[in-house]
Amino acid sequence: MNTALDDDLLTPEATADPYPLLDALREHDPVHWSADHRAWLLTRYDDVSAAFANKALSNDRVRPVRAARAARGETSDSAADRVLALMSEWMVVSDPPAHSRLRKLAAGAFKGQRISAMDASITALVDELIDAFTGGDLIAGVAYPLPATVIATMLGAPVADRDRFRDWSDELALVAFGGGGSDRHERALGGLHEMDAYFRSLIEQRRSEPGDDMLTAMMGTEQDDKLSDDELSAMCALLLFAGHETTTNSIANATLALLRRPDDLARLRRDPDLLNTTVEELLRFDGPIKVINRWVVDETEIRGRTISPGERVHLVLAAANRDPERFADPATVDIERSPNPHVAFGKGIHACIGAQLARMETRIAVGRIVSRLPDLALAAEPRWKPAVASRSLEALEVSV
Ligand code: HEM
């Protein structure tokens, strides 16, 4: 075991550019115990891929946190615990069989939405945001408002309520990603109570007046199995949360990578047919999620290392996606790379259920940004947010 390697993903250097550190870990200690992160870091593509299918590694990671808090004597009626209770209903933090049931119901509803038919409405939304954008932070202007509005539309929320979705998503992120100050759970709880009440009243309305939206579809009126109101409300919150910051970052990180590569940007402008492979390549090259977490529930061995129950494993997607054993010239952007088996959306039973939608939003947003803003240029050196799990810009200041 190589404990001398730098493995702190939160230093200013690693925040600005995590890839040198991840390259060194992948090469010298691919199954690395990090005392700083109190987790094993898996950095090779093959190991990360195998971990997605390893039953010793569990997604049930909110319940253990609640149990540990209870064991420390922290009160169960605290704001933090109530937020954690809502999140523990989420399929992304559940194992089979609970996961299989929730996933099946959500997947059916997603299919019914005919994502491909949403092309025109998402394009109209992006164009509206670009029309109003006169330079400044492209995230605040375009990348941030888009995904929450799309989710709100899919769930069938009235247009006037859509701004509130963004605030709720931010509040969920405060808890899930551990940002914000010490009062973060209290602040989040206020918003999340409001959100829960909102979804419950929307659910009630749809019961008496079904629509062709995703919420109505998830109610499973003609199926034997149904989601309870608790589960439905938690599912709405999960879809909002999982699809918001990730998609914002996908649009922002992709746009930044293109602004830094004028030749690729010019090629893409000349040949918009390259948009698909460009988006895939930029998801691989600097995707929105650096790390996915798993809890160890049974002893397991990875590359000769014994991993014990109770420990945590970080599947470092950002490192797997630049593994030279899997990708030729991994540090180079090749906007025609094909095939491109990146793991930015995960793999296996929890693989991103919104991937088709996220790809479409990123493709439309990046495509319209580069074609409609021909003078787009960086106006300030962007800064990244310090975070273990996400790869997220503070702002993307541009001139147009
Ligand atoms: C570029 C944007 C996105 C990225 C990079 C991304 C990435 C991921 C990843 C890596 C996972 C696997 C988590 C795990 O294995 O523990 C995941 C799961 C999930 N994603 Fe996404 N996602 C994106 C957009 C979206 C959107 C737009 C939605 C919904 C509207 C969404 C909903 C979900 C849900 C519900 C899960 C949990 C699936 C399950 O547990 O079975 N995501 N996503």
Side-chain angles (χ1 to χ4, degrees), residues 52 59 61 91-92 99 103 110 151 238-239 242-243 246-247 250 283 288-289 292 294 317 344-346 349-354 357-358 361:
F52 278 117
N59 268 52
R61 54 194 192 241
M91 68 173 143
V92 72
H99 170 265
R103 172 99 187 185
F110 251 103
I151 293 288
L238 170 62
L239 291 174
T246 45
T247 312
S250 167
L283 281 164
I289 301 183
I292 287 287
R294 293 291 188 263
L317 307 185
F345 290 114
I349 60 167
H350 290 280
C352 182
I353 204 170
L357 176 63
E361 287 183 62

Side-chain angles (χ1 to χ4, degrees), residues 224-367:
D224 298 332
D225 190 12
K226 286 184 189 172
L227 292 175
S228 69
D229 283 7
D230 280 357
E231 289 169 331
L232 273 172
S233 174
M235 182 72 85
C236 291
L238 170 62
L239 291 174
L240 171 63
F241 167 71
H244 189 201
E245 204 191 68
T246 45
T247 312
T248 296
N249 293 339
S250 167
I251 296 165
N253 298 3
T255 306
L256 175 63
L258 287 170
L259 285 171
R260 289 201 161 134
R261 287 168 187 75
D263 292 349
D264 287 328
L265 179 54
R267 261 177 79 207
L268 179 61
R269 282 185 168 133
R270 276 196 310 272
D271 185 359
D273 286 349
L274 293 177
L275 206 46
N276 269 334
T277 48
T278 300
V279 166
E280 292 308 309
E281 175 66 345
L282 297 176
L283 281 164
R284 179 195 72 80
F285 177 75
D286 208 5
I289 301 183
K290 274 188 290 197
V291 164
I292 287 287
N293 245 310
R294 293 291 188 263
W295 289 81
V296 184
V297 286
D298 289 313
E299 187 174 295
T300 184
E301 206 180 279
I302 304 177
R303 221 172 265 280
R305 295 270 153 79
T306 302
I307 317 275
S308 304
E311 292 179 336
R312 245 178 359 149
V313 178
H314 283 348
L315 281 49
V316 189
L317 307 185
N321 281 337
R322 291 202 186 193
D323 187 338
E325 296 279 317
R326 196 69 188 82
F327 300 97
D329 272 333
T332 301
V333 168
D334 170 3
I335 62 172
E336 289 189 70
R337 192 184 291 271
S338 177
N340 191 342
H342 66 75
V343 285
F345 290 114
K347 242 183 165 168
I349 60 167
H350 290 280
C352 182
I353 204 170
Q356 193 194 353
L357 176 63
R359 287 181 155 118
M360 173 179 262
E361 287 183 62
T362 307
R363 218 174 46 232
I364 294 173
V366 172

